Amino acid sequence: MKTFIFDLDGTLLDTLEDLWASVNHALAQFSLPLRSMCEVRQFLGNGARYLVAKSVGPSHESLSDEVYAAFRTYYLQHNQDRTRPYPGILNLLRQCKERGCHTAIVSNKPDAAVQQLHQRFFADVIDVAIGEQQPAVRRKPAPDMVLLALEKLHATPDEAIYIGDSEVDLATARNAGLPCISVDWGFRDRHFLEQQGATQIIHLPDELFALL
């Protein structure tokens, strides 16, 4: 394989604490009940609006748009407070570069935040970064982001592989016609991934090339 398409949150970056803090900051602005880190972890994977809607809950659904606006403003200012690459990720990405591989990030996070994090952590080792840009590019599990990444990399699906940590990533890879390698260090554990149909799961970043 010469092209690697990576999910961002839970795969390359541990973003949980900053997302949790941003959700609770936004909820507090409207005197809504705060969420535990475990709850926020479970809500991740389908984009920021979904995260906020689940955090707000059905009884306060009418406030979702306002809470989302508060969340987005705060998160764009604080998305690097505690966020860091998982151990071994930078070494893996350097190996990709040394081997002449093409790399991309596809994320349901708002595109502005994706670009910030790409520049902060991965500017020298990942070629393309794509975040949510609806309606122009539908969010995962639609294949749009993956197909756009392949286009920007001048690559084809038959030479690419997708790497992610969730059921959304498994569905995205399937919809884009790519094989998927799941990682169990992110927001979903191995047992859950297996229940969702994952057949190739790695526990450490340096297992990727060994598996291939």
Side-chain angles (χ1 to χ4, degrees):
M1 295 293 178
K2 293 290 290 182
T3 303
F4 295 94
I5 310 295
F6 292 95
D7 169 56
L8 184 61
D9 297 53
T11 300
L12 298 178
L13 290 178
D14 184 354
T15 56
L16 180 58
E17 287 192 57
D18 286 335
L19 288 165
W20 175 52
S22 299
V23 163
N24 280 339
H25 173 86
L27 292 173
Q29 303 310 298
F30 297 88
S31 301
L32 296 176
L34 304 186
R35 292 292 187 171
S36 69
M37 190 179 293
C38 182
E39 287 175 311
V40 169
R41 179 193 294 270
Q42 293 173 343
F43 298 157
L44 293 172
N46 287 283
R49 286 191 178 275
Y50 179 89
L51 167 63
V52 169
K54 292 290 286 184
S55 299
V56 167
S59 59
H60 300 287
E61 185 178 356
S62 62
L63 291 172
S64 284
D65 287 345
E66 292 174 89
V67 177
Y68 172 74
F71 164 85
R72 191 176 189 278
T73 297
Y74 186 87
Y75 185 67
L76 286 174
Q77 297 171 349
H78 295 275
N79 61 33
Q80 299 173 35
D81 290 358
R82 299 176 183 85
T83 289
R84 295 292 182 271
Y86 286 102
I89 285 296
L90 289 176
N91 184 57
L92 168 63
L93 295 174
R94 291 188 191 105
Q95 287 185 56
C96 290
K97 201 76 171 175
E98 290 166 2
R99 292 169 182 243
C101 300
H102 304 298
T103 52
I105 291 167
V106 293
S107 172
N108 278 342
K109 189 187 294 293
D111 190 62
V114 172
Q115 301 308 324
Q116 284 183 346
L117 294 169
H118 175 226
Q119 288 302 310
R120 169 66 177 84
F121 295 108
F122 305 123
D124 296 332
V125 287
I126 290 185
D127 305 311
V128 169
I130 297 169
E132 184 181 22
Q133 306 170 40
Q134 288 194 328
V137 181
R138 292 176 298 168
R139 69 172 182 263
K140 302 181 295 182
D144 300 30
M145 292 181 182
V146 172
L147 298 178
L148 179 58
L150 292 174
E151 179 184 332
K152 288 178 175 290
L153 293 171
H154 306 289
T156 58
D158 64 326
E159 64 186 31
I161 196 162
Y162 186 99
I163 299 101
D165 74 305
S166 75
E167 70 279 13
V168 175
D169 296 311
L170 286 162
T172 302
R174 184 167 56 249
N175 292 337
L178 270 61
C180 185
I181 293 178
S182 299
V183 307
D184 69 0
W185 58 73
F187 301 154
R188 306 289 190 268
D189 62 28
R190 177 176 289 261
H191 178 66
F192 178 86
L193 292 168
E194 289 173 341
Q195 287 183 318
Q196 298 300 310
T199 57
Q200 298 188 94
I201 304 173
I202 58 176
H203 183 62
L204 297 168
D206 62 10
E207 295 176 1
L208 177 61
F209 284 112
L211 178 61
L212 295 174

